[in-house]
Amino acid sequence: MATDLQIDVPKIVSVNPATGTVLRELGCAGENDVLAAVARARAAQGMWAEIGVRRRIAILREFQRRLHEKKSEIAEAITQEAGKPVVEALTTEVLVVLDATRFLIENAYRLLRDEPVPHGNLATKLKRGRLLREPYGVVGIISPWNYPFSIPATETLAALVAGNAVVLKPSAFTSLVALELKSLLHAAGVPQDIFQVAVGDGATGAALVHSQIDKLVFTGSLATGKRIAVAAAERLLPVVLELGGKDPMLVLDDADVEVASSAAVWGAFVNAGQTCLSVERCYVHRSLYELFLEACVDKTKKLIVNHGLEHNADVGPLIHQRQLQLVEEHVEDAKARGARVLAGGSRFPEMGANFYHPTVLADVTHAMRIMREETFGPVLPVMAFDSDEEAVRLANDSEFGLAASVFTREKTRGERLARQIQAGSVMVNDVVSCFGISEAPHSGVKSSGIGRTHGRFGLEEMVRLKYLDIDGMPGMKKVWWYGYGAKFAAQMDGFLNFEFARSAGERLRGARRAIGLVNRKQL
Ligand code: NAD
């Protein structure tokens, strides 16, 4: 009797978070698929490194042309899968990638070429030192769903231009956007095996971490980042970890309330608050507190919550129910501990299952989860402070240190406070947008991560530094080689005095004692 053999193949289901409509079902890459992808990448990478930076820059230029041509199509694909308003997909994703490509086209050749290392020590003057920047080989990239295009694309472009092959494991919630990136790169001339996408879940990501990649760039939550760090330590895999944040915004007593309130509302609600650099904590000088809250509430009530494809949408849905529940828990905890809800504070089921009203909370404290844990939702919690010192202390009272902002009319005062805040980036009189400045490094301190992406320092993460030293006198034994003895020790003592003694007389006597060094008898 014949029996049907049923094998459960895990599937990745891509869903529109605004409507719940299934967009596509995709196969989930298993461990063997990941290992095979990494092996193909390794086999192809040598040729990719060989073609040189200028040729790779030409391919980036073609990628940029194609992306510009398809900008609206890509923005809509992002909105379909991640929910954000199309205009945000254009500005915070497509524009960011177009500009990051511009940065690499303009700078990669200069930043990646060999660099002379002049020697200051007299004993090594006859050598020529150089720094070489060599690709790691295969770079694994694991990315989140909140910026499903700009995060993997900026990291991928830097890895590729430096001569690496890339295997990308996108978030299971935004696989289709990653496949759009793949099509664009391949159409621009990046060989199939040099950029591959392993669609999958956490297990697929874990398989990539355990594969023979040479470096990993991970962007995601602190919990996953810690798991990855442990796995990476097992085999000393170099990692960049871009993790969560709880970014503070300080509004000083001389701030322009009209400007600062607009910044707070945009910084808290852009991408429905699902931004690693979101304003997650807002501290306002007590003299402006009520005025500021009033302005924020007024502006928040004017925001239109809608499906991202609707052109009037300001705020879209959250990505999934788990995220919505977390936001709800944080707001309920704050309410129970005495926070005032001035706007929102509840779900928006009439719009769809994943929608939450943009929420303004007043009188929050650091005893509340909303001020300690990453909320990642459309909530602006506001707290009063009495002095600049207190504001800085509150800003630094967090396990995270991704970014921060200071609002003041006095730029030097803003800079003084910015220098005291523990964060990877601090903006004075702006929020969030440092992510879109292609020249600026993106990184966090404390639990917000290790290493950096973007700009010059992000590019440096994609290469191994090799120091090359060429001796200018191949026929000469080096003076520090064997042939030791009391005479040599005295000569070296003299040499040290010649180089480092403070008085001119001692230096001169040192030079006389060292003179025999060059023609001494050696092994
Ligand atoms: P997440 O940690 O749940 O997932 C991130 C990625 O890791 C996904 O692709 C996921 O499939 C994969 N993954 C899950 N478990 C894994 C494992 N054991 N091994 C390897 N990979 C695994 O994060 P998320 O919910 O997708 O993203 C939201 C988080 O990302 C927030 O905390 C946010 O602050 C953070 N984030 C940080 C930055 C930054 O630049 N610092 C930027 C965007 C998002």
Side-chain angles (χ1 to χ4, degrees):
M1 194 177 71
T3 50
D4 280 343
L5 187 63
Q6 294 243 325
I7 303 172
D8 274 340
V9 181
K11 285 256 180 277
I12 297 299
V13 185
S14 169
V15 175
N16 180 330
T19 59
T21 312
V22 172
L23 299 169
R24 216 158 108 192
E25 286 195 10
L26 302 120
C28 176
E31 190 184 349
N32 288 340
D33 301 314
V34 171
L35 295 184
V38 173
R40 281 195 300 273
R42 179 162 314 289
Q45 186 266 332
M47 168 280 297
W48 180 245
E50 200 66 19
I51 65 169
V53 188
R54 286 194 196 277
R55 177 77 195 108
R56 295 194 294 271
I57 287 175
I59 292 174
L60 256 57
R61 198 172 275 123
E62 177 59 14
F63 165 81
Q64 190 191 43
R65 188 188 70 74
R66 286 171 181 267
L67 173 57
H68 177 250
E69 209 171 76
K70 288 185 76 178
K71 58 185 184 309
S72 307
E73 212 176 301
I74 298 291
E76 283 194 14
I78 294 168
T79 296
Q80 290 271 6
E81 212 177 17
K84 63 189 70 187
V86 173
V87 66
E88 279 183 14
L90 271 178
T91 51
T92 65
E93 304 248 26
V94 177
L95 171 60
V96 167
V97 177
L98 284 170
D99 196 63
T101 317
R102 188 267 314 150
F103 172 81
L104 293 171
I105 290 169
E106 286 176 3
N107 297 291
Y109 181 76
R110 178 178 61 84
L111 295 174
L112 292 171
R113 78 182 159 197
D114 297 356
E115 188 182 319
V117 180
H119 298 158
N121 184 345
L122 196 63
T124 60
K125 282 278 188 201
L126 294 176
K127 297 169 166 302
R128 206 157 51 87
R130 252 183 293 158
L131 277 185
L132 314 185
R133 292 179 168 81
E134 298 183 340
Y136 271 95
V138 182
V139 173
I141 296 179
I142 299 180
S143 56
W145 45 264
N146 64 333
Y147 287 86
F149 191 67
S150 58
I151 290 176
T154 49
E155 296 167 357
T156 294
L157 291 165
L160 290 179
V161 80
N164 298 286
V166 170
V167 178
L168 165 67
K169 206 303 280 177
S171 167
F173 300 100
T174 50
S175 316
L176 298 181
V177 175
L179 295 178
E180 291 285 350
L181 174 64
K182 182 169 95 163
S183 304
L184 278 168
L185 286 167
H186 288 172
V190 174
Q192 303 270 334
D193 291 346
I194 291 297
F195 179 72
Q196 299 171 71
V197 176
V199 166
D201 53 14
T204 312
L208 186 58
V209 178
H210 286 100
S211 73
Q212 287 306 305
I213 51 172
D214 302 291
K215 177 134 191 182
L216 177 73
V217 181
F218 169 80
T219 309
S221 64
L222 172 58
T224 312
K226 281 183 177 172
R227 272 200 289 279
I228 285 177
V230 170
E234 281 290 319
R235 65 176 189 89
L236 292 185
L237 172 70
V239 287
V240 171
L241 300 175
E242 295 281 11
L243 308 178
K246 192 75 199 165
D247 294 1
M249 169 176 173
L250 312 188
V251 182
L252 307 189
D253 55 9
D254 68 342
D256 182 325
V257 171
E258 174 54 25
V259 171
S261 57
S262 289
V265 168
W266 183 73
F269 303 140
V270 62
N271 199 22
Q274 303 165 116
T275 301
C276 56
L277 301 168
S278 284
V279 172
E280 286 245 341
R281 298 178 285 148
C282 187
Y283 303 98
V284 183
H285 191 269
R286 200 172 298 281
S287 63
L288 304 178
Y289 187 58
E290 290 302 334
L291 203 64
F292 179 84
L293 283 169
E294 214 174 285
C296 287
V297 170
D298 185 47
K299 289 171 188 181
T300 300
K301 288 187 172 161
K302 287 187 181 135
L303 294 177
I304 295 173
V305 178
N306 206 345
H307 294 199
L309 286 176
E310 298 297 334
H311 284 283
N312 66 354
D314 292 312
V315 181
L318 293 168
I319 190 77
H320 46 49
Q321 279 293 299
R322 222 167 353 103
Q323 197 57 45
L324 185 121
Q325 279 155 15
L326 180 71
V327 173
E328 199 165 51
E329 279 172 25
H330 282 197
V331 172
E332 291 310 315
D333 172 76
K335 274 157 65 176
R337 290 170 193 267
R340 275 189 292 148
V341 181
L342 302 185
S346 60
R347 293 179 182 222
F348 196 170
E350 301 85 342
M351 192 54 67
N354 292 335
F355 285 85
Y356 197 88
H357 285 289
T359 297
V360 179
L361 299 179
D363 305 345
V364 293
T365 71
H366 278 208
M368 300 171 184
R369 291 180 68 190
I370 201 104
M371 295 300 270
R372 306 214 71 86
E373 300 169 27
E374 191 178 43
T375 307
F376 229 53
V379 185
L380 175 63
V382 189
M383 180 173 169
F385 66 82
D386 291 299
S387 67
D388 287 5
E389 292 68 33
E390 188 190 2
V392 170
R393 187 179 53 70
L394 289 166
N396 288 339
D397 179 22
S398 171
E399 75 164 314
F400 294 105
L402 195 53
S405 55
V406 182
F407 281 75
T408 168
R409 283 192 168 91
E410 205 189 310
K411 285 181 247 166
T412 49
R413 185 176 172 204
E415 182 177 335
R416 184 162 44 77
L417 264 64
R419 287 176 183 275
Q420 296 171 47
I421 296 174
Q422 297 155 355
S425 316
V426 186
M427 302 196 85
V428 177
N429 294 325
D430 196 3
V431 289
V432 183
S433 64
C434 51
F435 186 79
I437 299 170
S438 304
E439 287 71 16
H442 176 64
S443 65
V445 300
K446 301 198 276 190
S447 289
S448 290
I450 298 172
R452 39 200 59 81
T453 55
H454 292 201
R456 175 182 148 205
F457 294 99
L459 191 59
E460 291 278 4
E461 292 278 9
M462 301 302 180
V463 289
R464 286 195 176 106
L465 274 188
K466 180 187 277 178
Y467 172 68
L468 174 66
D469 191 286
I470 299 179
D471 196 273
M473 300 288 277
M476 191 181 128
K477 293 178 184 175
K478 309 310 157 219
V479 291
W480 50 85
W481 292 357
Y482 278 126
Y484 294 169
K487 192 171 167 199
F488 176 53
Q491 287 167 335
M492 278 313 285
D493 187 78
F495 181 74
L496 263 64
N497 286 350
F498 167 61
E499 278 225 279
F500 300 106
R502 291 294 144 107
S503 84
E506 211 178 336
R507 290 224 302 276
L508 196 66
R509 283 192 294 281
R512 277 203 212 103
R513 283 172 68 207
I515 223 141
L517 270 175
V518 278
N519 55 4
R520 76 194 177 88
K521 230 177 145 34
Q522 288 185 275
L523 285 186

